[in-house]
Amino acid sequence: MYKKQTDKGMESKGSLKSVMVEIISYLYVLLFVYAAVSKILDFENFQVQLGQSPLLSAFAVGVAWLVPGIELLIAIALIIPKFRSIGLLAALSLMTMFTAYIFIMLHFSSFVPCSCGGILEKMSWNVHLAFNVVFVILAVVAIVLDYKKTGRAIFFPVRSIPITLIASTVIVIFLFLSSEDIMQHENPFIRRYPQHPVTFRKSIDLKFNSYYFAGSSDDKIYLGNFTDPLHLLEVDTILQHRKQIKMNLNGYNKHYKMVKMVVKGDWFYLMDGSAPFILKGSIKDWKITKEFKDCPYFSIAQPLDHDLIAFRANRGRKAIHILGVFNSNSIPKVTYNHKLLQQQIDGVFDTDGILLSDEKQKKMVYLYYYRNEFIVADKKANLLSRGKTIDTISKAQIKIAFLKDRGERKMSAPPLIVNESAVMCQNLLFVQSKIPGRFEPEKLWKQAEIIDVYDINRKAYLMSFAIYKNRDKKLQYFYVTPTHLYALISNELFAYDLKQIIKKEMKDR
């Protein structure tokens, strides 16, 4: 009698274990089938979300196909009793990967993207993490109960469980580190759009659309005017107050054609490379105190230091572009570096671009218009590095016509513009790109201008964000300070606050 009662008790316990294993197995089946079907039905969006993932961006295409397939295979294995042990171990592995993915993203990633979709889209990432941990625990319980009931396991569960947990976590860590390195230095043209790296603050009407950004100093930004080159508009950083500033040449009688004004820190510069002349003064009284004697002809120029100017000129029989520096206090005053700009077609149009500088970095940066490359040089015009923008246009796609009777060269077809404009702020290079990346909807490019951010010191791509158009009007110029981004769109000036995700990447040196 006692033996029969014992057998019944053991059968009852075994039955309870079976029921618990089946309940947990079918919970996983429900979860994985729902998740896989959701991904398949909205596959394009799922692939885009993976492309934005800080951990899986570089592997988005492969993972997008692999994950729902694995989820369905595990669900099938859990339904068939013969393969349930393997299915439970595979479920534990996959759920551990999902859990490690969210944990790394929340604690070690540079930004957190949008959610995964489906019913889990309504969860915050922290709730999603807790949800995954619960399912990891359920899988562990089911594996142990299944082994005690059937004796089936790939390894003894005491060994198989920690091995599975550790191996799955290591795989995710490896993917994270590999993806980060690929995205920053070998980007497969997948942009990262973190949530709200810049937020709109305010806009003001300037009445005219002929303004450009001359520079900034402390809590002021300065706008030059193409139609009135000796006037500056001073605006405070939050666009509350503005003031007109009139330049007086004070006896420096110059015949100017294309004067550009630049404000760098406590100094302002009036420059015209067609004259040529460069004048300098203090923003305290806006009086010119110095003329840079014997400066060369130049097409564009940027101050690198108080008495040091980086410039681009045209030299030689074919008048190809060349970069150099002008130092008013040295002999010789002009230093050229013929190796900085690399000719692909004609040495003029194919090397056309944007010259930038930062007074704190004391570096010049030259960004090509028609190819995915920028050059970083020091204040003596020595090459420091060459970096790549994330698009794939490595050779300028332009056609040149030579007019022999006039001795001119012209574009014979509209060029493919890769980088339309750019701004330097400390170590960060902000580039307005014209080339859509992978997984980017056409609608986004119709509604906004895309800005890519690079760290010139690490030659690394960091992130991208959109500046939305105002009533379909095009972005003309933008400017970045350590705290704000400003945009000129038609006759309006827009101010945006930089969020911590960008600020933390800025370094003075």
Side-chain angles (χ1 to χ4, degrees):
M1 179 69 70
Y2 177 75
K3 185 177 180 182
K4 288 182 179 179
Q5 289 177 345
T6 303
D7 290 341
K8 286 182 180 178
M10 291 178 67
E11 288 177 9
S12 176
K13 287 182 179 179
S15 177
L16 180 60
K17 291 175 183 177
S18 297
V19 170
M20 289 186 67
V21 170
E22 286 208 10
I23 290 174
I24 293 172
S25 296
Y26 281 105
L27 279 174
Y28 263 105
V29 170
L30 181 64
L31 176 65
F32 283 164
V33 169
Y34 170 78
V37 171
S38 296
K39 293 178 179 74
I40 293 168
L41 291 177
D42 196 11
F43 184 77
E44 185 178 354
N45 184 50
F46 173 56
Q47 194 174 56
V48 169
Q49 288 173 340
L50 285 178
Q52 297 303 306
S53 163
L55 276 70
L56 302 173
S57 302
F59 313 111
V61 176
V63 172
W65 289 101
L66 196 61
V67 170
I70 291 175
E71 288 174 333
L72 290 175
L73 284 174
I74 292 174
I76 293 170
L78 290 171
I79 292 172
I80 302 172
K82 182 180 178 181
F83 300 108
R84 184 163 291 157
S85 297
I86 296 175
L88 285 170
L89 204 62
L92 174 63
S93 176
L94 189 59
M95 191 56 68
T96 300
M97 289 183 186
F98 291 159
T99 306
Y101 167 81
I102 295 175
F103 182 84
I104 292 171
M105 187 169 57
L106 288 173
H107 294 87
F108 300 99
S109 172
S110 57
F111 69 93
V112 179
C114 298
S115 57
C116 293
I119 192 170
L120 302 180
E121 187 175 3
K122 307 301 179 184
M123 296 182 184
S124 69
W125 283 108
N126 285 309
V127 172
H128 198 164
L129 179 63
F131 178 89
N132 284 9
V133 169
V134 169
F135 266 83
V136 167
I137 294 171
L138 288 175
V140 170
V141 171
I143 290 169
V144 173
L145 292 178
D146 184 63
Y147 178 78
K148 287 182 177 181
K149 173 181 171 292
T150 64
R152 294 179 306 189
I154 299 174
F155 304 104
F156 187 75
V158 173
R159 295 177 183 173
S160 65
I161 291 171
I163 289 172
T164 301
L165 292 172
I166 293 170
S168 302
T169 303
V170 168
I171 289 171
V172 175
I173 293 172
F174 173 77
L175 287 174
F176 169 59
L177 295 175
S178 300
S179 182
E180 279 295 287
D181 184 66
I182 291 171
M183 287 296 293
Q184 289 184 3
H185 301 103
E186 304 171 33
N187 191 289
F189 206 6
I190 301 173
R191 287 190 171 91
R192 288 178 166 178
Y193 293 95
Q195 297 183 42
H196 313 300
V198 299
T199 55
F200 173 73
R201 171 182 278 270
K202 187 181 179 181
S203 66
I204 57 174
D205 188 353
L206 299 175
K207 306 300 182 184
F208 304 100
N209 63 359
S210 54
Y211 286 101
Y212 64 90
F213 289 105
S216 63
S217 178
D218 296 330
D219 58 347
K220 301 288 192 304
I221 59 170
Y222 298 94
L223 304 177
N225 194 318
F226 289 115
T227 59
D228 193 358
L230 296 183
H231 271 90
L232 274 179
L233 178 63
E234 178 186 275
V235 186
D236 68 311
T237 53
I238 57 174
L239 310 190
Q240 293 283 4
H241 307 286
R242 63 180 96 176
K243 183 175 73 172
Q244 290 284 347
I245 298 171
K246 170 68 174 175
M247 286 297 123
N248 191 330
L249 294 182
N250 293 328
Y252 292 92
N253 296 318
K254 299 294 180 183
H255 297 286
Y256 55 85
K257 297 178 182 178
M258 299 176 62
V259 170
K260 183 177 180 181
M261 302 190 69
V262 178
V263 178
K264 292 278 187 180
D266 296 331
W267 304 94
F268 71 90
Y269 302 81
L270 272 72
M271 300 186 291
D272 187 341
S274 63
F277 68 81
I278 300 173
L279 306 176
K280 174 188 171 185
S282 171
I283 65 170
K284 294 178 180 178
D285 54 14
W286 297 102
K287 293 181 179 179
I288 296 169
T289 57
K290 180 175 181 177
E291 178 178 5
F292 288 68
K293 299 291 187 181
D294 304 318
C295 71
Y297 286 90
F298 56 87
S299 51
I300 50 178
Q302 283 286 343
L304 278 175
D305 208 342
H306 299 313
D307 299 311
L308 193 64
I309 308 293
F311 67 90
R312 187 190 72 190
N314 300 91
R315 297 196 80 196
R317 185 172 58 86
K318 295 183 179 180
I320 63 173
H321 285 144
I322 184 171
L323 294 178
V325 292
F326 174 78
N327 190 335
S328 63
N329 297 325
S330 70
I331 299 176
K333 293 184 176 182
V334 180
T335 302
Y336 293 101
N337 188 332
H338 296 265
K339 297 180 180 180
L340 287 178
L341 297 181
Q342 296 180 327
Q343 180 177 337
Q344 291 183 335
I345 300 171
D346 69 330
V348 179
F349 289 110
D350 65 332
T351 58
D352 199 5
I354 308 157
L355 180 62
L356 305 166
S357 69
D358 184 87
E359 64 270 19
K360 292 186 177 180
Q361 292 278 306
K362 291 183 173 54
K363 295 175 182 177
M364 73 165 93
V365 175
Y366 191 84
L367 176 71
Y368 291 109
Y369 280 132
Y370 308 119
R371 58 177 121 155
N372 63 344
E373 185 180 346
F374 60 87
I375 303 158
V376 183
D378 63 18
K379 61 183 182 179
K380 294 183 179 180
N382 296 315
L383 177 67
L384 295 175
S385 63
R386 295 184 188 273
K388 296 285 187 180
T389 54
I390 61 172
D391 59 89
T392 58
I393 314 299
S394 59
K395 185 173 181 179
Q397 297 184 20
I398 58 176
K399 292 183 179 180
I400 310 300
F402 294 90
L403 307 178
K404 293 183 179 180
D405 56 333
R406 299 183 184 178
E408 296 177 359
R409 72 188 89 191
K410 290 186 177 182
M411 291 273 196
S412 60
L416 177 64
I417 299 173
V418 176
N419 306 303
E420 183 159 356
S421 63
V423 174
M424 275 289 297
C425 185
Q426 296 180 14
N427 60 306
L428 298 188
L429 174 64
F430 296 77
V431 179
Q432 180 188 359
S433 176
K434 301 303 292 182
I435 309 295
R438 297 172 71 184
F439 315 128
E440 292 177 3
E442 184 180 345
K443 183 180 178 181
L444 173 65
W445 282 81
K446 288 181 178 179
Q447 295 177 340
E449 302 288 349
I450 305 304
I451 308 297
D452 300 325
V453 186
Y454 302 86
D455 185 330
I456 64 167
N457 293 340
R458 293 189 291 141
K459 293 189 293 184
Y461 164 73
L462 301 179
M463 69 190 80
S464 300
F465 57 88
I467 296 179
Y468 285 87
K469 298 176 182 178
N470 181 35
R471 298 184 296 276
D472 293 327
K473 293 180 179 177
K474 187 177 180 293
L475 173 69
Q476 294 170 290
Y477 303 97
F478 73 101
Y479 187 79
V480 180
T481 71
T483 56
H484 294 86
L485 181 143
Y486 302 93
L488 283 170
I489 302 177
S490 186
N491 58 309
E492 291 187 83
L493 173 62
F494 291 78
Y496 301 82
D497 293 326
L498 296 186
K499 295 306 179 182
Q500 190 59 30
I501 189 171
I502 294 180
K503 290 180 180 179
K504 71 180 182 182
E505 300 288 349
M506 290 187 179
K507 297 175 178 61
D508 289 344
R509 299 183 184 278

